[in-house]
Amino acid sequence: LKELQDMCIYLFDIDPDDIPDPRYDWDGYIFFLKRIIMKQKLQWNPIKEKVLPWIDFKELNRIYGGITNQSMGCQCTIF
């Protein structure tokens, strides 16, 4: 998930301190990205042969939505 966050930081020129960490706050991460995507122009998707947003959130949630540090066995608590 860190690579996913890094890719979005570079793709959309986001300050790393502004974006929620998807490993700990998936819903906050998705909410933040949706706000960013709404400001972007739609892009041609050659697979679906139509103009679409940069990110398919349904697919993103399907692939990564259930992955968190807790689901990977980490029971860390940070104070």
Side-chain angles (χ1 to χ4, degrees), residues 17-62:
D17 294 332
D18 291 341
I19 189 168
D21 190 327
R23 296 172 294 178
Y24 304 104
D25 184 9
W26 180 255
D27 292 335
Y29 177 74
I30 293 298
F31 180 77
F32 181 87
L33 279 184
K34 284 184 177 182
R35 286 191 355 226
I36 297 293
I37 293 297
M38 286 180 3
K39 298 175 185 176
Q40 306 296 316
K41 291 182 180 179
L42 297 176
Q43 301 296 314
W44 177 254
N45 182 326
I47 305 289
K48 296 187 177 182
E49 298 185 345
K50 56 184 165 180
V51 178
L52 297 168
W54 277 89
I55 296 175
D56 181 343
F57 287 99
K58 183 177 178 183
E59 189 69 9
L60 192 68
N61 273 313
R62 186 187 71 76

